[in-house]
Amino acid sequence: MSSKYAIDVQGSLKQNRPFVTLMVSQAISNLGDWLHLLAIFTLVGLRWNATPWEITFVTLSAALPILLTGPFAGALADRLNRKWLMITADGARIVIVGALIFADQIWHVYVLLVLKSLFDVVFSPAKNGKLKELVPHHQLAQAVSISSVIEQMSKIIGPALGGLLVAAFGVAWCFVLDASSFLISGIILLWIPGYRVIQQANSDVTGVEEQSASPSQGKSSFWKETLEGIRMLASLPHIGTSLLLLAAAILFLQFADSQTVVLFRQLPGISGDLLGWCVAASGVGTLLAAMSVRKWKTAGHGLKMGLGTAVTGLVIGTAGVVVSVWPSAGLGAHLLLISLFALAGVGIGFAIVPFQILLQEQTPEPMTGRVFGTVGSVMTTSNIFGPVVGGLLVTSFGVIPAFVSSGILLTLLGVLYLFKPKGKKIPLEEGVASKTAVSGELS
C-alpha cells in the first residue's frame, strides 16, 4: 500500500484523508443532483406552459430509472473499479446537464432526465462501496451517518439554492453551475485511491461481503437481503408505523407539490421568479427544522412527525385557497405564498428528520444498508405514484381541488398519528439486546 494513503485505523475519521475527500466529492455531486430541478420546472411549467400530465412525466423521468435500475447499479459497483465508476458518472452528467441548456422541446427534457437519473443511480452504490474500502469497520457506522447527513442536506440545500439561482440569474446559468458541480466532483475524486485501502478490517466481517459479491448468488442474494431488511424494519419499535406515516405523507404531498407550477399559473401576471423564491423559502424552512429537531427534547419523535405532517397539510390547503380567492398576483400575494412555503418547509422537516434520527438510533449497524435500502425503495414508490395521482386530480378536477385535497389528507394523517395508541416503551438495554439477537438470526 502506498504510504500516501496509509490510514491509522485507530485515528478519527477527520484524519482519514481519502474518506474526507470522498465526502467532499459526494457533497458537491449530491448538490448537483438537486440543483437543476427547480430550473427544469420553471422552464417546462412557466415558460412552456406544460400540461399537468407533461409536468408529471418530468417527475417520472427522474424517478423511474432510480426505482428500476438500482439493483443492477449495485451489481456494477461490486464488479468494477468504484473510483472510476464515480468519475465516469460525474463526467456523463456534465454533458447531460449541459445539454439541458439547448433543450427546446419537452421530449428533450424527458430523455435527458432519464439519462441523468441512470448515472445518478450508478454513483450512489459506487460511493457506498468505496466508503467501505476507505473506512475501518469499527468506524463504518459513524461514516455512514456522515454520508447520510450530507445526502439529506443536499436535498434541502440543492432545490433552495436552485431557486435562488433561477430567481437571480435565470434558468441557463443554473444548468451551467449544475454541470460545473459534477466537473468539480469528478476532479476531486482523482485524489482518492482506486484500490482498497482498508484490507483486514473490512474483510473480517464473517466473509459476508465476499459472499454477497459472488456471481453465483446474484439474484437470490438480492431478494434475500431485501426480505431481511423488511423483517428488520418490522421488528424495530415504532419504525413500521412511522415509515407508513412518512410514505403516506410524501404520497399526499406529491399530489400538490408536483403541480405547483400549475397552481401559480392561476395567478394573472405571475412572475417567473416566484417559484424560485418559494422553493428557496421551503428549503430554508426545512433546514431550520432540521437544526431545531434535536434541540426540542421534550417531545418524542412521533409527536414531531405528527405535528409536522399536520402543519404541512394546513399550509398546502391554505395555499390552494389563497390562489383561488386572491384577485391578483401583487406583492402581497407573493409575500404570502413565500411565507406559506417557508412554513411548509418547516412542517416537512419535522415530518422527515425525526424519522431519520429514529431509524439511525434503532437500526443495528450490520443491517444498515438493507434497512436504509428498503426505506429508500418505499420513499421512491411514493415519489412516483404521488405525481401520477396529482396529474390525474388536476386534469379531472382542477389544481385548486387537488391542493385542497392534498392539504386535508395530510392534516388528517398528522392528527391520526398524534392520537394513535402509544406502544410500550422499550428500555434501551432490552431494545439493543433484541436488535442484536434479530441481527444474529438474519445474518
Side-chain angles (χ1 to χ4, degrees), residues 90-427:
D90 277 339
R93 290 183 290 183
I94 295 171
V95 177
I96 294 168
V97 174
L100 284 169
I101 299 172
F102 307 101
D104 56 8
Q105 296 184 48
I106 198 164
W107 70 267
H108 295 165
V109 174
Y110 295 154
V111 171
L112 291 172
L113 282 179
V114 168
L115 291 174
K116 181 183 177 297
S117 293
L118 289 173
F119 287 99
D120 288 343
V121 79
V122 166
F123 185 94
S124 183
K127 180 267 301 179
N128 289 327
K130 195 64 187 177
L131 185 146
K132 296 194 73 173
E133 295 181 8
L134 301 177
V135 176
H137 180 68
H138 68 280
Q139 293 180 331
L140 273 178
Q142 181 185 1
V144 169
S145 179
I146 292 172
S147 178
S148 177
V149 168
I150 290 173
E151 188 170 348
Q152 296 305 320
M153 290 299 293
S154 71
K155 295 179 182 179
I156 297 170
I157 298 173
L161 181 58
L164 292 172
L165 289 172
V166 169
F169 303 106
V171 170
W173 276 105
C174 191
F175 291 144
V176 169
L177 291 175
D178 194 4
S180 300
S181 71
F182 293 119
L183 174 62
I184 296 170
S185 171
I187 292 174
I188 291 174
L189 286 171
L190 293 172
W191 271 266
I192 68 169
Y195 52 84
R196 178 184 288 274
V197 173
I198 302 297
Q199 300 287 346
Q200 187 67 22
N202 278 343
S203 61
D204 279 347
V205 191
T206 66
V208 172
E209 293 164 24
E210 287 76 11
Q211 292 176 9
S212 63
S214 171
S216 63
Q217 294 188 341
K219 187 174 181 179
S220 62
S221 175
F222 167 73
W223 288 112
K224 179 182 177 182
E225 292 186 359
T226 300
L227 291 174
E228 289 174 353
I230 294 172
R231 287 201 297 268
M232 174 55 70
L233 275 172
S235 72
L236 297 175
H238 310 301
I239 290 293
T241 53
S242 297
L243 176 59
L244 290 176
L245 166 71
L246 189 57
I250 291 176
L251 179 71
F252 297 154
L253 177 63
Q254 286 294 334
F255 293 174
D257 192 53
S258 61
Q259 302 295 331
T260 300
V261 290
V262 180
L263 178 73
F264 283 4
R265 291 205 306 244
Q266 308 305 304
L267 294 170
I270 193 71
S271 169
D273 296 338
L274 178 61
L275 181 61
W277 289 114
C278 285
V279 172
S282 176
V284 171
T286 307
L287 182 59
L288 291 174
M291 295 170 62
S292 60
V293 161
R294 284 187 178 273
K295 297 180 180 179
W296 187 17
K297 298 180 180 180
T298 57
H301 295 312
L303 175 61
K304 295 171 187 175
M305 291 182 68
L307 285 175
T309 303
V311 168
T312 303
L314 289 172
V315 173
I316 292 294
T318 301
V321 172
V322 166
V323 172
S324 67
V325 302
W326 202 276
S328 64
L331 179 61
H334 282 217
L335 294 176
L336 180 57
L337 285 171
I338 291 172
S339 300
L340 287 173
F341 270 75
L343 187 56
V346 173
I348 293 168
F350 274 100
I352 293 177
V353 177
F355 175 76
Q356 294 171 346
I357 296 173
L358 190 65
L359 198 60
Q360 288 278 7
E361 290 175 345
Q362 295 195 12
T363 303
E365 186 218 327
M367 297 292 296
T368 299
R370 279 164 281 187
V371 168
F372 277 79
T374 303
V375 170
S377 296
V378 173
M379 295 298 102
T380 301
T381 302
S382 293
N383 277 315
I384 287 175
F385 283 103
V388 173
V389 177
L392 181 62
L393 286 173
V394 172
T395 302
S396 302
F397 304 104
V399 68
I400 303 297
F403 263 73
V404 173
S405 299
S406 174
I408 292 173
L409 288 170
L410 282 167
T411 303
L412 290 176
L413 184 66
V415 172
L416 286 174
Y417 195 79
L418 287 174
F419 288 98
K420 80 175 183 65
K422 300 295 187 295
K424 178 183 177 182
K425 188 173 181 180
I426 298 179

